[in-house]
Amino acid sequence: MKDRLVPAAIIPAILDLAIKNRMNVEKIFSRAKVDPAVVSHGGTFVSIEQELTLFEAAYQEMNNPAFGILLGESIQYNSLDLVGQLVATSKNVQEALDELFQFKDLITPFTSFTLTTKGQEATLVFSVDSTLVKDNLAVHHDLVASTIVTIANAIIPNGLNLKKACFVHSETPYADQYHRVFNAPVEFGCLRNALVFNRSILQEPLLTSYPEYHSGVKTLLSDTLL
C-alpha cells in the first residue's frame, strides 16, 4: 500500500503551518525527499510513504505535541483533489459522509470510517491502521479529527456543533487545543475514536452543494476505482 499515490493535500498544509510557526521548511521536505515546488502544480500526488515521512519530519521539526490538531486546521476540502470536491458538493452531510466512505481510499487509505445513529445522536467513528502508521499514532488521530471538523465547519451552515469528541489515546497536555478546535467536551482512553453530533445535522444542506458538478465528479471517481 505504501506505493499507492494520494493527493498531496498535506504539502500546502505543512507549508502553511511551517510558515506560521517559522519552521525550517527546506529541512522538512529534504528529509522526506519531496520537492516543495510541487505545491504550485494542481493534481499533485505523493506516495503513502512520502506522506507519512513528511508528516513525521514536520512533527519533529515543529516539536509541538498538538501538531496533529494544528495541521488538520490547515487542510481544506479543495486540497483533497476530486474526493474533496465530491464531498463539498454533496446535497447534505449524510451524502457527504457516504461519498467519503466510498472513496476514502483515494485520499487516506490507512484510515477507516463508520457512522452509527442512535436516538438523536450520530457518531462518526474512525481508526488509523497501526501497521502502516507506526509512530505517533495519537497525533494522527488528532489530525483526522481536526481535519474532519475543520472541513465540516467550512461547508455546513452552522458548523458540525459537536456534542463530544472521543479518543482512544490517553489524555494529552494540550487540552486547550482540543477545546478550541472542537468546542465540545473531549474524552480520552475510550474504546474508539469518535465524533458525536446531533443526528439532525445529517440532513443539513451544504453551503457548497452543486448537484450537477457533483454527478460529474462522482462519475470520474467511480471510473478511478474500477
Side-chain angles (χ1 to χ4, degrees):
M1 183 183 287
K2 284 191 176 183
D3 292 326
R4 180 179 295 179
L5 298 181
V6 294
I10 199 171
I11 292 181
I14 286 179
L15 279 173
D16 180 61
L17 192 60
I19 292 170
K20 287 179 180 177
N21 291 273
R22 300 182 179 181
M23 295 159 60
N24 189 326
V25 177
E26 182 179 0
K27 183 177 179 180
I28 293 171
F29 285 87
S30 176
R31 182 181 299 181
K33 298 181 180 180
V34 174
D35 184 354
V38 299
V39 75
S40 63
H41 305 290
T44 300
F45 288 75
V46 294
S47 69
I48 296 295
E49 185 172 16
Q50 283 179 310
E51 179 173 293
L52 293 175
T53 302
L54 266 174
F55 181 93
E56 289 300 322
Y59 174 61
Q60 296 299 328
E61 183 65 23
M62 187 170 180
N63 193 30
N64 184 333
F67 175 76
I69 288 181
L70 300 175
L71 183 61
E73 287 186 286
S74 296
I75 296 179
Q76 304 298 321
Y77 75 83
N78 57 0
S79 62
L80 297 177
D81 200 60
L82 291 177
V83 177
Q85 295 176 35
L86 186 71
V87 167
T89 56
S90 299
K91 63 181 179 181
N92 55 31
V93 175
Q94 179 68 68
E95 183 175 67
L97 289 174
D98 289 342
E99 304 295 29
L100 172 63
F101 297 166
Q102 182 176 355
F103 297 103
K104 64 92 181 174
D105 281 352
L106 297 177
I107 55 172
T108 179
F110 47 81
T111 307
S112 299
F113 301 95
T114 58
L115 177 71
T116 62
T117 56
K118 183 178 181 180
Q120 300 303 310
E121 288 187 347
T123 302
L124 178 61
V125 178
F126 66 90
S127 61
V128 177
D129 186 347
S130 59
T131 63
L132 281 175
V133 182
K134 298 179 180 179
D135 300 312
N136 303 307
L137 192 59
V139 185
H140 283 270
H141 294 160
D142 289 348
L143 172 62
V144 174
S146 179
T147 300
I148 291 171
V149 172
T150 297
I151 293 177
N153 287 342
I155 63 179
I156 301 173
N158 295 309
L160 191 56
N161 289 321
L162 284 183
K163 299 183 72 172
K164 67 178 178 179
C166 306
F167 294 92
V168 298
H169 56 260
S170 302
E171 186 171 358
T172 66
Y174 47 94
D176 57 325
Q177 296 290 347
Y178 287 100
H179 293 296
R180 179 182 62 79
V181 173
F182 303 133
N183 192 31
V186 180
E187 299 177 2
F188 299 96
C190 302
L191 295 177
R192 57 186 185 175
N193 300 301
L195 300 174
V196 183
F197 52 94
N198 288 323
R199 185 174 184 173
S200 60
I201 290 178
L202 292 172
Q203 301 308 314
E204 279 283 320
L206 301 186
L207 292 168
T208 46
S209 178
Y210 191 171
E212 293 82 2
Y213 184 81
H214 180 91
S215 178
V217 172
K218 186 164 186 175
T219 297
L220 288 174
L221 286 174
S222 296
D223 291 343
T224 302
L225 286 181
L226 293 179

